[in-house]
Amino acid sequence: LGYEFVNVDDCWQAETRDETGRLRPDPVRFPRGIKWLASRVHDLGLKFGIYTCIGTHTCEGLPGSYDHYEIDAKTFAEWDVDFVKVDTCSLTMEQNWDPEPFYEEFARAMKKESGKILYSVCNWGIWEPWRWAPRFSHAWRTTMDIFPAFWRVLEIVDYSEPLADYVKPGAFNDMDMLECGVSGRLFNWPSMPEIVPLDVNECRSHFTLWVLLRSPLVLGMDMTKIQDEDMSVVTNEEVLSIVRQGGETQGRRLSREISGALFAPPTLFNGILGLVPSFCVFGPCVFSETYARVSDDGKSVAVGFLNRGGFFDFGFDSSVNISVHLDEDLGLRGEKCTIRVRDLWNRKDVERSSTDARVITAHNVRLRDMALYRVESENCKFDQIRIDDHHASRMSLFEVMIVTI
């Protein structure tokens, strides 16, 4: 399917380093050690990832890597680790002012020990890592942590989609792990109430957006308890083929269509602790978006059609038709182009309209669901530049009233 890594996050460590100053695993959780675990993962044909922190301690209070970058890099290399996530808790005063040189110092130490280890900066987007992390990192988090609320998923998308220009080959915006099948609490705070898990429509939209926006696909659910409907989403081979064919670029939002009377509260901290984006004052309301990601060879483009809705279902149309234009939106170049459209979620070809051959329409997209089509041409190409130039919002100004406070 394309999933390559088995990663352990925080709490793999013992409470203290050993007598030589090296990190050591929790003896109860990992009695045979990390090197043995990495070897078993490799025997399965997979790669192994581990977690540490740029500060003095991890987010759970265990030993961090501050002042131990060289010895920790050496330890991870000796354990045959393939991926290291570096978090941002327990920073020193100097690190709080500017974490960049510390992340870069750790990255240099890692590269010195092994040029094959992937290095991921997880500083929650606070210091705009997309501006500096691409020099030495393979991925960087764009926001604070995700949790299984659909409005949080959309908020991360809104914050991360405009950062596409910072993506380069081998280095990507990380929108955090996938929340399909995950139970959690609001803001991931123990004192907050539990959240109703994402339903199958929301899970499908969440997964589609992460695929189109080129975010690393990290499964956050308990794999021993995953439900069949969630498993069917994250293992859809046709959808995952977009990852393999989509090249090194991030997809873009093509359009945003809004109609009806919407109330839009302001967003706090611009994607860090934001509030709900909108809800319908009186219906009918529609809030839909389209996204696109062009393949490496330019002969196909993946197009997502999102019926975004609002925080509450009240007032929003339960299903909508959403369209894109082959030339205006997708930049199709050429005459007498042969077009094939494939519905990837439903695994079937789509019959095109004979009345308007330049329009692709996803019909009856349910609230908070997302259709995903692959549009292919044997004799014409889709222009990535035109897609990038056209990602501004289209709003039905004569039909919309947006009230903000």
Side-chain angles (χ1 to χ4, degrees), residues 105-152:
E105 179 185 349
F106 200 1
R108 285 198 305 267
M110 207 79 68
K111 188 173 183 179
K112 177 183 175 183
E113 295 298 333
S114 173
K116 298 180 180 180
I117 296 178
L118 298 184
Y119 184 82
S120 179
V121 170
C122 178
N123 83 328
W124 318 324
I126 299 175
W127 291 274
E128 298 187 335
W130 48 88
R131 297 186 183 276
W132 44 266
R135 295 199 322 272
F136 52 81
S137 176
H138 299 91
W140 49 90
R141 279 275 299 281
T142 56
T143 66
M144 294 290 283
D145 290 352
I146 196 171
F147 45 87
F150 191 59
W151 63 265
R152 177 59 178 159

Side-chain angles (χ1 to χ4, degrees), residues 226-265:
I226 187 171
Q227 301 295 312
D228 289 345
E229 61 183 15
D230 294 322
M231 180 65 84
S232 69
V233 170
V234 301
T235 59
N236 184 304
E237 293 185 18
E238 295 199 38
V239 174
L240 287 168
S241 70
I242 300 301
V243 178
R244 295 188 291 272
Q245 298 175 2
E248 301 286 358
T249 58
Q250 176 177 309
R252 302 300 297 257
R253 179 187 287 135
L254 293 180
S255 67
R256 171 175 282 178
E257 300 279 359
I258 302 174
S259 65
L262 302 180
F263 179 80

Side-chain angles (χ1 to χ4, degrees), residues 95 141 166 314 375 388 399:
Q95 288 177 315
R141 279 275 299 281
Y166 294 98
F314 173 78
V375 185
D388 287 348
E399 303 175 14

